[in-house]
Amino acid sequence: MSEWTKLRRTVTEWAASLDDVGFDVGRTHISLFNAVWMIVVVVLVIVFGRVAGRIGRRTVRSMKGLDGTQRALGEKLMTVTVWTIAVLVGIDAVGINLTTLTVFSGAFGLAVGFGLQKTFGNLIAGVILLMDRSIKPGDVIAVTDTKGSTFGVVHSIGVRAVSVTTRDNREILIPNEILMTTQVENWSYSSRLVGITIPIGIAYESDLDLAEKLLLEAALTVPRVLRDPEPSILLNAFGPSAIELLIYISIDDPENGVGNVRSDVLKATWHALKDSGVSIPLPQSDVTLRDSDGLRVLSEALGRGTLT
């Protein structure tokens, strides 16, 4: 008798002894062997799902013909496919008849409808976002909700949420459904070119042409301000205390922030106007006093110096 035959007979006898330890529920025999085999199958399913999923994701990443969005979508679909196959094979290996699960389909569907509604909604929303490429990793987006505005770079699109990294290095998870149902500003959807408008006021006695020249020169000293399209100056309005101008600049790296560029342009503007004769006025207000008896009495008292 070969060693393989002995080993197989030993395993068979061990399985039979474990199968004898159990009890019957109707026509179903539940034994220690079934419990051990179920545990082994569950472990194998988990191991297979993780290993096969990791291999599948690496395979998708290695495809050079795909961009970042297509790779992310491929990885997500590969993960779902691998785990679906692993679970179905595991159910078949355990010996569960899928037709017997139809009894629980109504209750399971109700549980999914109430308990997993948001989860499946976010999963489908994430797949749609990746398929239509409206939001993809690396995009600069701004999302406005009831608590304010979130501005940052899309780091990744997960099953449940999109990870957005802000300028202060905070990572915010935004549910996929929110990005599908609310208005989102995507600053790099079709072009990374972003225009920034910076208001500034100059005094009425200032030389307007000189002011425009100095403002353009100041804007061009900031490294992130593009030369093409070049900055421009627009006359916005004649305000109550100043001539209101708009400095229009363009950048192509919105992921590095907008407020810092605006700050750099304003600083350069301040230094350019400081010693040029072009002044930035303080707010002014005209006060008109109506003639009245009380006002005349007050004026006369002030004139005589008798008011104490």
Side-chain angles (χ1 to χ4, degrees), residues 200-206 208 235-239 241-245 281:
I200 189 171
I202 63 172
Y204 276 98
E205 61 271 14
S206 302
L208 182 59
L235 177 58
N236 186 41
F238 295 108
S241 58
I243 301 176
E244 299 177 1
L245 302 177

Side-chain angles (χ1 to χ4, degrees), residues 3 9 15 23 37-38 44 48 63 85 88 100 104 111 124 146 193 208 218 235 240 252 257-258 278 302 308:
E3 295 294 332
R9 178 175 295 180
F23 55 92
W37 175 242
M38 184 175 295
L44 291 177
F48 171 79
M63 297 180 180
I85 294 175
L88 292 178
T100 61
F104 306 98
I124 295 174
T146 56
L193 190 67
L208 182 59
L235 177 58
D252 59 359
V258 176
V278 179
L302 290 174
T308 57

Side-chain angles (χ1 to χ4, degrees), residues 13 36 40 46 64 78 84 117 151 205 228 274 283 293 301 306:
E13 293 176 354
V36 173
V40 171
I46 295 175
K64 298 181 179 180
M78 180 65 70
T84 300
Q117 179 180 5
F151 173 85
E205 61 271 14
D228 184 20
K274 189 174 182 181
D293 295 337
T306 58

Side-chain angles (χ1 to χ4, degrees), residues 144-160:
T144 302
D145 53 21
T146 56
K147 298 181 179 180
S149 180
T150 299
F151 173 85
V153 181
V154 177
H155 180 264
S156 62
I157 300 179
V159 174
R160 189 189 67 85

Side-chain angles (χ1 to χ4, degrees), residues 23-246:
F23 55 92
D24 295 329
V25 178
R27 298 180 180 180
T28 303
H29 179 68
I30 300 177
S31 64
L32 184 59
F33 173 77
N34 297 132
V36 173
W37 175 242
M38 184 175 295
I39 294 174
V40 171
V41 170
V42 170
V43 172
L44 291 177
V45 166
I46 295 175
V47 172
F48 171 79
R50 290 185 176 180
V51 174
R54 188 178 297 114
I55 295 174
R57 289 191 294 270
R58 289 180 179 176
T59 303
V60 173
R61 293 193 195 105
S62 63
M63 297 180 180
K64 298 181 179 180
L66 304 178
D67 57 19
T69 304
Q70 292 171 337
R71 288 194 185 96
L73 178 59
E75 291 178 17
K76 193 180 298 293
L77 294 178
M78 180 65 70
T79 301
V80 173
T81 302
V82 167
W83 279 103
T84 300
I85 294 175
V87 171
L88 292 178
V89 171
I91 291 177
D92 184 69
V94 171
I96 298 177
N97 189 355
L98 294 178
T99 58
T100 61
L101 298 179
T102 56
V103 179
F104 306 98
S105 60
F108 181 74
L110 189 63
V112 170
F114 286 98
L116 301 179
Q117 179 180 5
K118 291 294 183 181
T119 301
F120 279 97
N122 285 318
L123 173 61
I124 295 174
V127 173
I128 293 175
L129 289 175
L130 290 172
M131 291 181 64
D132 67 3
R133 304 181 65 183
S134 57
I135 297 176
K136 52 188 180 296
D139 282 352
V140 181
I141 65 172
V143 182
T144 302
D145 53 21
T146 56
K147 298 181 179 180
S149 180
T150 299
F151 173 85
V153 181
V154 177
H155 180 264
S156 62
I157 300 179
V159 174
R160 189 189 67 85
V162 172
S163 173
V164 177
T165 304
T166 62
R167 283 290 298 161
D168 52 0
N169 205 31
R170 291 183 298 135
E171 193 164 0
I172 299 178
L173 300 178
I174 303 176
N176 296 330
E177 277 191 333
I178 292 181
L179 299 180
M180 289 287 296
T181 57
T182 60
Q183 181 174 336
V184 180
E185 293 184 21
N186 191 336
W187 291 24
S188 52
Y189 177 60
S190 58
S191 172
R192 301 186 66 80
L193 190 67
V194 176
I196 303 174
T197 303
I198 306 173
I200 189 171
I202 63 172
Y204 276 98
E205 61 271 14
S206 302
D207 186 339
L208 182 59
D209 295 331
L210 176 61
E212 291 185 359
K213 177 183 177 181
L214 294 175
L215 292 178
L216 286 175
E217 293 176 352
L220 289 173
T221 60
V222 179
R224 290 180 57 196
V225 175
L226 298 179
R227 274 60 178 169
D228 184 20
E230 63 180 1
S232 60
I233 308 297
L234 302 177
L235 177 58
N236 186 41
F238 295 108
S241 58
I243 301 176
E244 299 177 1
L245 302 177
L246 296 177

